[in-house]
Amino acid sequence: MERSTALVVDAGPLLAVADRDAADHDRCLALLESFTGPLLVPVLTVAEVTHLMAARLHPDAELRFLTDLGLGNLIVEPVHASDWLRIAELVERYGDLPLGTVDASVVAAAERLGLTTIATLDRRHFSVVRPKHVDSFELLP
């Protein structure tokens, strides 16, 4: 797998794809279906997405998401031991947003993998965060 062409996916686009009534459904679906590289979902994002799907959507949405994980359409990116300190640093540094552990794990994964693009609907958080390896992230869609 060539990681330089991978896309780190935050919860927002995954929830929008699962909810056909969501305002961002079509553009998020188009992005995730057309992206040619691996779609990496940090493991803490998986937990957030399944929790929110169970609370807000029909159980079929969660089943489709789990199936996409199982088929490799979405690739779970683990939290590495070294990520936890970076996550803590980010949560502290951006505590007034607040950034939170899940979003900080998205940043930490992107930094560790040298990725510069994040699929997110959360412009408020991800446009403020300054990653270690680039001036800012490219945010899609």
Side-chain angles (χ1 to χ4, degrees):
M1 174 188 328
E2 187 178 331
R3 294 280 191 171
S4 63
T5 61
L7 178 64
V8 181
V9 184
D10 186 34
L14 297 168
L15 291 166
V17 166
D19 182 359
R20 291 180 179 93
D21 295 328
D24 298 300
H25 172 79
D26 291 339
R27 68 188 188 124
C28 289
L29 182 63
L31 170 64
L32 298 185
E33 286 184 343
S34 67
F35 193 81
T36 58
L39 300 171
L40 304 179
V41 183
V43 69
L44 298 180
T45 301
V46 171
E48 179 181 48
V49 167
T50 56
H51 171 76
L52 292 173
M53 284 180 174
R56 299 179 184 174
L57 301 173
H58 190 276
D60 288 347
E62 186 175 1
L63 293 174
R64 284 191 304 274
F65 176 66
L66 294 171
T67 299
D68 278 337
L69 292 170
L71 294 174
N73 298 330
L74 301 168
I75 299 166
V76 178
E77 181 60 38
V79 177
H80 288 210
S82 62
D83 292 340
W84 290 111
L85 291 175
R86 179 60 174 151
I87 290 167
E89 179 183 320
L90 289 163
V91 166
E92 180 181 31
R93 181 173 179 190
Y94 297 101
D96 54 336
L97 282 178
L99 185 63
T101 300
V102 176
D103 287 348
S105 76
V106 171
V107 172
E111 288 177 339
R112 177 174 36 79
L113 297 168
L115 300 174
T116 60
T117 307
I118 295 175
T120 187
L121 298 175
D122 188 355
R123 298 292 194 275
R124 180 174 171 258
H125 289 157
F126 290 101
S127 64
V128 171
V129 172
R130 294 297 165 239
K132 287 183 173 183
H133 63 305
V134 290
D135 290 336
S136 62
F137 288 114
E138 177 185 4
L139 305 177
L140 301 176

